[in-house]
Amino acid sequence: MNLPSCLSQLCRALPRRIGSTTQLILRSLSRSLVLSSQRRIPEFSSFVARTNTCGELRSSHLGQEVTLCGWIQYRRQNIFLVLRDFHGLVQVLIPQDESAASVKKILCDAPVESVVQVSGTVISRPPGQENPKMPTGEIEIKVKTAKLLNSCRKLPFEIKDFVKKTETLRLQYRYLDLRSFQMQYNLRLRSQMVMKMREYLCNLHGFVDIETPTLFKKTPGGAKEFLVPSREPGKFYSLPQSPQQFKQLLMVGGLDRYFQVARCYRDEGSRPDRQPEFTQIDIEMSFVDQTGIQRLIEGLLHCSWPSDKDPVVVPFPSMTFAEALATYGTDKPDTRFGMKIIDISDLFRNTEIGFLQDALNKPEGTIKAICVPEGTKYFKRREIDSIRKIAADHFNQEVLPIFLKVGRNWNSPVAKLIIEEQRLELTRLMEIQEEDMVLLTAGEHKKACSLLGKLRLECADLLEMRGVVLRDTSLFSFLWVVDFPLFLPKEENPSELESTHHPFTAPHPNDIHLLYTEPKKVRSQHYDLVLNGHEIGGGSIRIHDAELQRYILETLLKEDVKLLSHLLQALEYGAPPHGGIALGLDRLMCLITGAPSIRDVIAFPKSFRGHDLMSNAPDSVPPEELKPYHIQVSWPTDAEAEKSS
Amino acid sequence: MNLPSCLSQLCRALPRRIGSTTQLILRSLSRSLVLSSQRRIPEFSSFVARTNTCGELRSSHLGQEVTLCGWIQYRRQNIFLVLRDFHGLVQVLIPQDESAASVKKILCDAPVESVVQVSGTVISRPPGQENPKMPTGEIEIKVKTAKLLNSCRKLPFEIKDFVKKTETLRLQYRYLDLRSFQMQYNLRLRSQMVMKMREYLCNLHGFVDIETPTLFKKTPGGAKEFLVPSREPGKFYSLPQSPQQFKQLLMVGGLDRYFQVARCYRDEGSRPDRQPEFTQIDIEMSFVDQTGIQRLIEGLLHCSWPSDKDPVVVPFPSMTFAEALATYGTDKPDTRFGMKIIDISDLFRNTEIGFLQDALNKPEGTIKAICVPEGTKYFKRREIDSIRKIAADHFNQEVLPIFLKVGRNWNSPVAKLIIEEQRLELTRLMEIQEEDMVLLTAGEHKKACSLLGKLRLECADLLEMRGVVLRDTSLFSFLWVVDFPLFLPKEENPSELESTHHPFTAPHPNDIHLLYTEPKKVRSQHYDLVLNGHEIGGGSIRIHDAELQRYILETLLKEDVKLLSHLLQALEYGAPPHGGIALGLDRLMCLITGAPSIRDVIAFPKSFRGHDLMSNAPDSVPPEELKPYHIQVSWPTDAEAEKSS
């Protein structure tokens, strides 16, 4: 029961005649409660030249004298005007009598999207003219005075959500695009969620918000870090990809619980849904284990989740990396729907189908399948061709898919070679129903899983394009993925190792002995948080032992430890056990708002080529301004320029 | 009256016998209140391997089984151990009995600053052994189990506040320096204050926290902006000095109330108390005037002010720039003490002292003085020489100071030339007392004021070095300085104008007509916030009229408007009237904590040469890593290198 309702019940239940002291206290208590409950709705009109926002006016304001400021949304026959501010729309009655001619002139002459201030009285709309679709639809404003605050010239596009604009136009006139309902909603929701996260971390759990530098030095292997020339010849700062080193050093410094809404930088050139600068909720704790971080983050998301959505259910399910790969063919499974990968190798141990036999005879050879519900009903030649193309484009011949159309008679060239017994067992194992389609592949475990994982998502998209509801858009399906391998073979040289995530990740306690014998088998204490098939966060328990850190960097990863000597040294001076996580705020907001791109949850994003289309950044700089930084441009030759374009 | 105390009074005042419903409601109300009041103390031990923090244990915890994690602060005769965490110190009893030999070994062998986990019982200290100076001084921990979490090698310095370290050593081992009480206090206070500011802005007043890009383009005249090479040949981003353009564009975008704890960048080379990256509380509002912003900021500081200091008194006093200059000789007066500048020109209109007459005959010629209380008592030859030197170093001959030692006989070569009548009037005007000293100067108004303003602060320092308490260190004296001139003559070419602050500052409404006739006389709608003689913030009402903005940029300032075409265009599309402010968070925290340098309120500051002494940034980068950015280093010739070193 909340406090104000508690109090009102208390008042009703109290004996009629109570002492005057009690009455006084009760009145004071009541005032406090009203104040504290009022405080939950911010005062949007404090300190400014309005009494109310356009969007807040209701019948309860009838008769009040109000002053509003806003943009002219539209005008109807010089009689009505709809005024807009960030809070909503309100109808303004343009006065028609002679004495108010100057007010009428102002309101009728101002172009759409001009900014005006009006003062007047809140009145009821005449009976029958209420607009139930408009939150302020029961009232209108009878204007007494009006002031044109700024006029608007002809717009490059209309500020209406149903008017489709190209993204280039939207980014070029971002300040106009920001006026749309959707952008206002996205940015305000982002601000509110981050605020609730801060309250959870700072006020409930004693985290310290600490700002770490962004002018730092290049990290080993940090090939994607922007450089910042300094005034010392040949010396550069680097814009870090994350505050990883700093947050660990803060734990060594005894700060105990750190968080930061951290700006990070990554120079990946042109990538469609990436930004050169992005934001992460960055967290680190001392004396914590994997479970501790997971419970913290579940609480964080539960606490900050938008109230207009279904509450987040905690704890989140967890899955090992091996299981995610085997079942969903990816380390970030979308668990909103089934179509899981099933291993059917055993079924075909004695098959006579040649290429299945071949596959099984190879090391780690397997046969896998997914069952696409109602696939035979919805998938025609075109869909199947598109699936086949993806398989061919992304994977090699070994793992080409086989389509088994399940009907009265299984329709597939291969189907004839499947004996009745196998067919029955397959149907049972995979819960195949009539009109389903089975996608089958044979090959090395990881490759076969990856292919089917990709085709699973492709099939889901194709089914949804056909109108099948597979993934509930109001559903938010969180998942922890754990027990990643600590190392991977380097792509360019598979005999060498590289960190799966980063070299500060602690090995799984049960696998530490394997570090010195079979490092490829060591699992890590890394965890990823996945939402609806997107990785929205990742973190780990870190190495706090200098010896172990040095062994991993020097012996296993062959890194130049000189660049990290400060971190290694810090671990020797009483570093506590610690771990942390970082959540990608842009991606998270994008998923929550259902926005088509992360550019829709960022106020001033860069285009996919990394340009600011509004101001035209990056831009040329005259040579004399490069001089203090001791750099000069190496202009590419015509041949080079041609090659790169 | 707060809610819980209200409720307890209410309970006491209620009639003994009340209905069971009332009782139930009352109990529920009470629970809610307890919950909401508990929530104010964060749970510092959630999610981690301890039950409590070292610093929180009191007699109320007696008998409880606790697990603590912390650093070994010191050990006494292998009997006691003092364990430290961020929250405080607690005494741990090392078990002496045979059966606990392994625990004893762990606790006795671990070097100081090693990290341990101990479990045991909270017990009373034996009578007479309590330590009233220690918050946990009534109890100690009877240990059952102990675990060495990490050992510490010999430290480069002791983690004790009374151990003086050089700043270089502190910065090099920043992760150790952070363990000091003072650094923990500074960083935690900073986090708490910023959190309270956010609550005030977001929750109370509906501000939206919006992140703006830091990879932007060079602003006109932004000579101090760091450059970031992009992958396009010859194109550079720039790290902005403030989000000025973005916050104005957000207002054009209808965001209404924006704030951001914004990272800003300024490349000023080596400056003792500046940082290449710094943080400002950045605010912008639509439909606001100067007073609105001032009241907002007063509320912000009042709301977020540390509870261990005297509350901030609002509203803050306000002073025009002209008055600040005339009275304190500066635009950031320290109003904690008097020693104001007095214009005594009228007194000497008919003087026979030649150089005073000369000064008065020149344009804007004046005679000014300050009275240094007890100056003749405290200022000896050495002090007077130092004052004279400052005057000579910073100002030219015209404004050399004259020392009038006030004693029984005024002791000054000039004093003889001052007639009795003048002396009496001077004494009255300046409230001169015996043993005071008068510093007098003659010259052009602004120069004379500036000199005396500087000498006023110098005298205050000298007096305080002599033990005179002039500026109460617990006093926080806020002041608004307003009505700055909109333009100043350019230093290098006084016939041209430059903006006193920035070109988006709106002119004072009463002076707009002067823009077209005498622009030098136009006052601006800029305001500075000054605290104890330091500028901690500044802002203005902005120009929202495209025409006016273009006139000022093009005609008056002769700027290349192409670089700002997006902003000029934005003003044409229905820009609301707007204004804002930015507070320098580092400086503010420095003043509040009384820290000697802003480096003491920043977790990982740069040295005054802009270096990170811990990691050695900025650092060299191999030429192949410069290649993707199409830049190369222009190594200076030996002669150039010599000149710059």
Side-chain angles (χ1 to χ4, degrees):
Chain A
M1 192 186 289
N2 68 19
L3 287 182
S5 74
C6 238
L7 186 80
S8 76
Q9 284 201 31
L10 177 68
C11 291
R12 264 177 273 129
L14 276 175
R16 286 274 150 195
R17 292 187 57 82
I18 47 175
S20 63
T21 318
T22 315
Q23 277 183 19
L24 270 176
I25 294 168
L26 213 55
R27 223 173 288 149
S28 152
L29 182 62
S30 163
R31 240 192 333 267
S32 301
L33 285 174
V34 169
L35 277 174
S36 82
S37 69
Q38 275 177 345
R39 219 174 282 152
R40 288 189 203 149
I41 302 164
E43 290 177 47
F44 287 114
S45 299
S46 47
F47 311 115
V48 290
R50 64 175 174 244
T51 59
N52 296 77
T53 62
C54 297
E56 73 176 308
L57 296 172
R58 297 287 183 279
S59 293
S60 58
H61 296 87
L62 280 179
Q64 286 188 18
E65 298 293 314
V66 298
T67 299
L68 307 175
C69 296
W71 285 260
I72 297 176
Q73 177 88 352
Y74 59 86
R75 197 169 18 230
R76 218 183 305 139
Q77 298 149 344
N78 287 351
I79 295 175
F80 298 115
L81 186 104
V82 171
L83 199 63
R84 185 196 73 234
D85 64 14
F86 71 95
H87 213 182
L89 303 169
V90 72
Q91 180 162 292
V92 168
L93 220 52
I94 302 176
Q96 303 297 326
D97 43 319
E98 200 58 42
S99 67
S102 66
V103 174
K104 181 173 181 183
K105 186 170 163 46
I106 289 170
L107 296 180
C108 294
D109 286 0
V112 163
E113 288 302 312
S114 293
V115 190
V116 294
Q117 183 189 49
V118 297
S119 294
T121 316
V122 182
I123 58 171
S124 290
R125 293 201 190 181
Q129 293 190 24
E130 301 91 349
N131 182 351
K133 285 188 197 150
M134 206 175 165
T136 62
E138 293 194 341
I139 58 100
E140 56 191 1
I141 310 296
K142 188 162 185 279
V143 171
K144 294 206 184 76
T145 62
K147 205 154 112 188
L148 178 68
L149 298 176
N150 213 347
S151 190
C152 182
R153 53 175 274 198
K154 188 161 168 25
L155 293 172
F157 53 80
E158 276 191 85
I159 317 288
K160 276 173 191 155
D161 288 291
F162 56 83
V163 178
K164 290 265 173 263
K165 298 137 274 209
T166 66
E167 193 172 48
T168 305
L169 202 61
R170 285 179 56 201
L171 290 179
Q172 195 186 339
Y173 295 96
R174 190 58 162 183
Y175 44 88
L176 294 179
D177 188 44
L178 290 175
R179 291 186 194 162
S180 70
F181 170 79
Q182 196 57 55
M183 282 306 301
Q184 292 271 335
Y185 175 83
N186 291 358
L187 294 180
R188 282 166 195 279
L189 184 69
R190 179 176 177 135
S191 167
Q192 281 159 20
M193 266 197 82
V194 171
M195 188 64 199
K196 285 194 232 160
M197 289 184 182
R198 291 177 181 281
E199 286 172 339
Y200 173 85
L201 292 168
C202 272
N203 299 353
L204 291 190
H205 294 292
F207 279 75
V208 193
D209 179 6
I210 297 175
E211 298 167 73
T212 58
T214 55
L215 293 172
F216 192 44
K217 76 181 240 171
K218 246 180 127 59
T219 41
K224 290 169 177 172
E225 289 177 4
F226 284 102
L227 293 174
V228 182
S230 79
R231 285 173 188 256
E232 285 174 70
K235 301 276 174 116
F236 294 81
Y237 297 105
S238 165
L239 299 176
Q241 288 186 54
S242 90
Q244 184 62 34
Q245 291 186 46
F246 290 112
K247 64 188 199 170
Q248 293 195 239
L249 291 167
L250 286 171
M251 294 305 103
V252 182
L255 264 304
D256 201 64
R257 304 177 158 216
Y258 144 90
F259 91 100
Q260 183 182 197
V261 181
R263 189 69 59 90
C264 302
Y265 300 85
R266 191 163 41 204
D267 179 19
E268 298 186 296
S270 302
R271 287 282 289 273
D273 214 20
R274 290 283 179 96
Q275 286 284 308
E277 49 187 319
F278 58 98
T279 304
Q280 64 189 35
I281 310 288
D282 199 50
I283 288 172
E284 196 80 6
M285 293 172 90
S286 294
F287 311 112
V288 75
D289 62 9
Q290 191 159 321
T291 313
I293 296 284
Q294 290 177 347
R295 293 302 89 81
L296 172 83
I297 294 303
E298 287 158 1
L300 177 79
L301 287 163
H302 185 266
C303 235
S304 61
W305 203 247
S307 52
D308 61 350
K309 311 234 176 283
D310 286 341
V312 165
V313 179
V314 294
F316 302 153
S318 182
M319 191 181 281
T320 65
F321 167 75
E323 191 185 346
L325 182 68
T327 317
Y328 297 97
T330 172
D331 58 357
K332 35 180 192 280
D334 188 340
T335 47
R336 283 174 301 174
F337 68 104
M339 284 170 61
K340 293 179 186 176
I341 302 168
I342 311 276
D343 191 304
I344 50 172
S345 307
D346 286 348
L347 221 74
F348 291 93
R349 279 291 163 225
N350 305 313
T351 185
E352 286 173 17
I353 310 174
F355 79 94
L356 293 186
Q357 250 181 348
D358 289 353
L360 285 178
N361 287 335
K362 285 185 186 151
E364 297 195 62
T366 56
I367 305 172
K368 316 255 183 199
I370 58 172
C371 172
V372 183
E374 301 185 279
T376 54
K377 185 164 144 200
Y378 291 109
F379 283 21
K380 305 298 166 206
R381 172 139 209 136
R382 206 174 51 172
E383 283 79 16
I384 289 174
D385 283 349
S386 112
I387 292 171
R388 219 185 277 277
K389 190 171 179 324
I390 288 166
D393 288 355
H394 292 79
F395 300 86
N396 61 23
Q397 287 291 345
E398 300 167 55
V399 284
L400 268 187
I402 296 164
F403 300 88
L404 294 174
K405 288 201 179 180
V406 185
R408 217 156 299 165
N409 298 306
W410 283 28
N411 175 9
S412 159
V414 188
K416 287 168 206 148
L417 300 170
I418 298 177
I419 57 174
E420 181 63 15
E421 195 183 311
Q422 285 170 335
R423 197 155 67 170
L424 283 173
E425 184 58 13
L426 202 61
T427 307
R428 193 191 61 79
L429 256 179
M430 303 196 65
E431 300 173 0
I432 298 169
Q433 313 230 331
E434 236 184 78
E435 303 206 309
D436 287 358
M437 186 181 78
V438 172
L439 277 179
L440 183 147
T441 192
E444 184 265 326
H445 173 74
K446 200 180 157 207
K447 280 187 183 162
C449 290
S450 299
L451 169 65
L452 289 183
K454 184 141 185 82
L455 298 187
R456 172 178 177 266
L457 293 176
E458 196 58 32
C459 291
D461 286 347
L462 290 170
L463 284 174
E464 285 183 346
M465 274 161 63
R466 292 280 174 168
V468 180
V469 180
L470 208 62
R471 293 168 290 198
D472 180 352
T473 52
S474 73
L475 201 70
F476 292 93
S477 188
F478 287 98
L479 176 74
W480 290 109
V481 179
V482 299
D483 288 358
F484 284 84
L486 186 55
F487 305 110
L488 289 175
K490 270 191 190 167
E491 253 181 63
E492 60 275 33
N493 180 2
S495 70
E496 288 182 14
L497 294 179
E498 64 183 3
S499 299
T500 308
H501 295 96
H502 60 59
F504 316 116
T505 312
H508 196 291
N510 298 349
D511 296 356
I512 286 186
H513 62 285
L514 294 171
L515 270 177
Y516 307 93
T517 54
E518 296 176 279
K520 279 188 197 176
K521 288 202 174 159
V522 177
R523 289 166 300 164
S524 73
Q525 293 196 61
H526 179 95
Y527 27 85
D528 265 354
L529 182 58
V530 173
L531 171 58
N532 294 352
H534 297 269
E535 184 204 317
I536 56 157
S540 59
I541 302 303
R542 327 296 184 185
I543 298 167
H544 65 275
D545 181 89
E547 199 85 34
L548 178 62
Q549 183 70 75
R550 195 182 297 274
Y551 175 76
I552 286 180
L553 281 170
E554 264 183 347
T555 310
L556 295 181
L557 297 172
K558 324 270 187 222
E559 287 281 4
D560 180 3
V561 290
K562 269 199 303 264
L563 288 167
L564 287 171
S565 57
H566 54 285
L567 193 76
L568 282 167
Q569 201 171 34
L571 296 183
E572 291 175 333
Y573 289 122
H578 61 288
I581 194 166
L583 302 183
L585 183 62
D586 306 300
R587 174 73 52 211
L588 177 64
M589 291 314 304
C590 188
L591 291 169
I592 291 174
T593 57
S597 152
I598 58 166
R599 288 185 290 279
D600 290 318
V601 296
I602 297 173
F604 298 101
K606 302 279 191 296
S607 75
F608 87 103
R609 282 184 186 277
H611 289 190
D612 180 317
L613 299 181
M614 183 182 63
S615 74
N616 188 34
D619 204 357
S620 308
V621 168
E624 67 268 21
E625 293 187 13
L626 301 178
K627 229 176 164 186
Y629 298 107
H630 309 280
I631 55 167
Q632 51 181 299
V633 177
S634 326
W635 293 101
T637 60
D638 289 353
E640 282 172 338
E642 204 155 285
K643 212 177 99 192
S644 71
S645 70
Chain B
M1 192 186 290
N2 67 21
L3 287 184
S5 76
C6 238
L7 186 78
S8 78
Q9 283 200 33
L10 176 66
C11 291
R12 266 178 270 131
L14 275 175
R16 286 274 150 192
R17 293 187 56 84
I18 47 175
S20 62
T21 318
T22 315
Q23 276 183 20
L24 271 175
I25 294 167
L26 212 55
R27 225 173 287 149
S28 151
L29 182 62
S30 162
R31 239 192 336 265
S32 300
L33 285 175
V34 169
L35 277 174
S36 81
S37 69
Q38 274 177 347
R39 217 174 284 152
R40 286 184 205 153
I41 302 165
E43 290 177 47
F44 287 114
S45 299
S46 48
F47 310 115
V48 290
R50 66 175 172 241
T51 58
N52 296 79
T53 61
C54 297
E56 74 176 306
L57 296 172
R58 297 287 184 278
S59 292
S60 58
H61 295 87
L62 281 179
Q64 287 188 16
E65 299 293 315
V66 297
T67 299
L68 307 175
C69 297
W71 285 260
I72 298 177
Q73 177 89 350
Y74 58 86
R75 194 165 26 227
R76 218 182 305 138
Q77 297 149 345
N78 288 352
I79 296 176
F80 297 118
L81 187 106
V82 170
L83 199 64
R84 186 197 71 233
D85 65 14
F86 71 95
H87 211 182
L89 303 169
V90 72
Q91 180 161 294
V92 168
L93 219 52
I94 303 176
Q96 303 296 324
D97 43 322
E98 201 56 41
S99 66
S102 67
V103 174
K104 182 174 181 181
K105 188 169 161 46
I106 288 170
L107 296 180
C108 293
D109 286 1
V112 163
E113 288 301 313
S114 293
V115 191
V116 293
Q117 184 189 48
V118 297
S119 293
T121 317
V122 182
I123 59 171
S124 289
R125 294 200 190 183
Q129 293 191 23
E130 301 90 348
N131 182 350
K133 284 186 198 150
M134 207 172 163
T136 63
E138 292 193 343
I139 59 99
E140 56 193 1
I141 310 296
K142 191 161 181 278
V143 171
K144 293 206 186 76
T145 62
K147 204 154 112 189
L148 177 68
L149 297 176
N150 213 349
S151 190
C152 181
R153 55 176 274 197
K154 193 167 164 16
L155 293 172
F157 54 79
E158 278 190 83
I159 318 288
K160 277 172 188 153
D161 288 290
F162 56 82
V163 179
K164 289 267 173 262
K165 298 136 278 209
T166 65
E167 192 172 48
T168 305
L169 202 61
R170 287 180 55 201
L171 290 179
Q172 195 185 339
Y173 295 96
R174 190 56 161 185
Y175 45 88
L176 295 179
D177 187 44
L178 290 175
R179 292 186 193 161
S180 70
F181 169 79
Q182 194 58 55
M183 281 307 301
Q184 292 271 334
Y185 174 83
N186 291 357
L187 294 180
R188 283 166 194 280
L189 184 69
R190 180 177 175 133
S191 168
Q192 281 159 19
M193 266 196 79
V194 171
M195 188 63 199
K196 285 194 232 161
M197 288 183 182
R198 290 178 180 282
E199 287 171 339
Y200 173 85
L201 291 169
C202 273
N203 298 353
L204 292 189
H205 294 291
F207 278 76
V208 192
D209 179 5
I210 297 175
E211 299 167 71
T212 58
T214 55
L215 293 172
F216 192 45
K217 77 181 236 170
K218 248 179 126 58
T219 40
K224 290 168 177 173
E225 290 178 5
F226 284 103
L227 294 173
V228 182
S230 80
R231 285 173 188 256
E232 283 173 68
K235 300 276 173 116
F236 294 81
Y237 297 104
S238 166
L239 299 176
Q241 289 186 55
S242 91
Q244 184 62 35
Q245 290 186 46
F246 291 112
K247 64 189 200 171
Q248 292 195 238
L249 291 168
L250 286 171
M251 294 305 103
V252 182
L255 264 305
D256 200 63
R257 300 174 163 219
Y258 143 90
F259 91 100
Q260 182 182 199
V261 181
R263 189 70 59 89
C264 302
Y265 300 85
R266 191 162 41 204
D267 180 20
E268 299 186 294
S270 303
R271 288 280 288 273
D273 214 21
R274 290 283 179 96
Q275 287 285 308
E277 48 187 320
F278 57 98
T279 304
Q280 65 189 35
I281 309 289
D282 200 49
I283 287 172
E284 196 80 8
M285 293 172 90
S286 295
F287 311 113
V288 75
D289 62 9
Q290 190 158 323
T291 314
I293 296 283
Q294 290 178 347
R295 294 300 90 79
L296 172 82
I297 295 302
E298 287 158 0
L300 177 78
L301 287 164
H302 185 265
C303 235
S304 61
W305 203 246
S307 52
D308 61 348
K309 311 234 176 282
D310 287 341
V312 165
V313 179
V314 295
F316 302 153
S318 182
M319 191 181 281
T320 66
F321 168 75
E323 191 185 346
L325 181 68
T327 317
Y328 296 97
T330 173
D331 58 358
K332 36 180 190 281
D334 188 341
T335 47
R336 284 174 300 174
F337 67 103
M339 283 171 59
K340 294 180 185 174
I341 301 168
I342 311 275
D343 190 304
I344 51 173
S345 307
D346 285 348
L347 223 74
F348 290 93
R349 280 288 166 230
N350 305 313
T351 184
E352 286 172 15
I353 309 175
F355 78 93
L356 293 186
Q357 249 180 351
D358 289 352
L360 285 178
N361 287 336
K362 283 184 187 149
E364 296 197 66
T366 56
I367 306 171
K368 315 256 182 197
I370 58 172
C371 172
V372 183
E374 299 185 282
T376 54
K377 186 165 142 200
Y378 291 108
F379 282 21
K380 304 298 166 203
R381 172 135 209 139
R382 208 177 48 173
E383 282 80 14
I384 288 173
D385 283 350
S386 111
I387 292 171
R388 218 185 277 278
K389 191 171 176 323
I390 288 166
D393 288 355
H394 291 81
F395 301 85
N396 60 23
Q397 286 292 346
E398 302 168 55
V399 284
L400 268 188
I402 297 163
F403 300 87
L404 295 175
K405 288 198 176 182
V406 185
R408 216 154 298 162
N409 299 305
W410 285 27
N411 174 9
S412 158
V414 188
K416 287 168 204 145
L417 299 169
I418 298 177
I419 58 174
E420 180 63 16
E421 196 185 307
Q422 285 168 334
R423 196 153 70 171
L424 283 173
E425 185 58 12
L426 202 60
T427 308
R428 192 192 61 79
L429 255 178
M430 303 196 65
E431 298 174 1
I432 299 167
Q433 312 232 328
E434 235 184 80
E435 302 205 306
D436 288 358
M437 187 181 79
V438 172
L439 276 179
L440 183 149
T441 194
E444 182 265 325
H445 172 75
K446 197 179 160 211
K447 281 187 185 165
C449 290
S450 300
L451 169 66
L452 288 183
K454 185 141 186 79
L455 298 188
R456 172 178 176 266
L457 292 176
E458 196 59 30
C459 290
D461 287 345
L462 291 169
L463 283 175
E464 284 182 347
M465 275 161 63
R466 292 278 174 173
V468 180
V469 180
L470 208 61
R471 294 169 288 200
D472 181 352
T473 52
S474 73
L475 201 72
F476 292 93
S477 189
F478 287 97
L479 176 75
W480 290 109
V481 179
V482 300
D483 288 356
F484 284 83
L486 186 57
F487 306 109
L488 288 176
K490 270 192 191 167
E491 253 182 61
E492 60 272 36
N493 180 1
S495 70
E496 288 181 13
L497 293 180
E498 64 183 3
S499 298
T500 308
H501 296 95
H502 60 59
F504 316 117
T505 311
H508 195 291
N510 298 349
D511 295 356
I512 287 185
H513 62 284
L514 294 172
L515 270 177
Y516 308 93
T517 52
E518 295 175 280
K520 279 188 199 179
K521 287 202 176 160
V522 177
R523 289 165 301 164
S524 73
Q525 293 196 63
H526 179 95
Y527 27 86
D528 266 353
L529 182 57
V530 173
L531 170 57
N532 294 352
H534 298 269
E535 184 204 317
I536 57 158
S540 59
I541 302 303
R542 327 295 184 186
I543 298 167
H544 65 275
D545 181 272
E547 198 87 34
L548 179 60
Q549 183 69 75
R550 195 181 297 274
Y551 175 75
I552 286 180
L553 282 169
E554 265 183 347
T555 311
L556 295 181
L557 297 171
K558 325 271 186 221
E559 288 282 3
D560 178 3
V561 290
K562 269 200 301 273
L563 289 167
L564 287 171
S565 56
H566 54 286
L567 193 76
L568 282 167
Q569 200 170 34
L571 296 184
E572 291 175 335
Y573 289 122
H578 61 287
I581 194 168
L583 301 182
L585 183 62
D586 306 300
R587 175 73 52 213
L588 177 63
M589 291 313 304
C590 188
L591 290 170
I592 291 174
T593 58
S597 152
I598 58 167
R599 289 184 291 279
D600 290 317
V601 296
I602 296 172
F604 298 102
K606 302 279 191 296
S607 75
F608 87 102
R609 281 184 186 278
H611 289 189
D612 180 319
L613 299 181
M614 184 181 64
S615 74
N616 188 33
D619 205 357
S620 307
V621 168
E624 67 268 22
E625 293 188 12
L626 300 179
K627 228 176 161 185
Y629 298 107
H630 309 281
I631 54 167
Q632 52 182 300
V633 177
S634 326
W635 294 101
T637 61
D638 289 354
E640 282 172 341
E642 205 154 283
K643 212 177 100 194
S644 71
S645 70

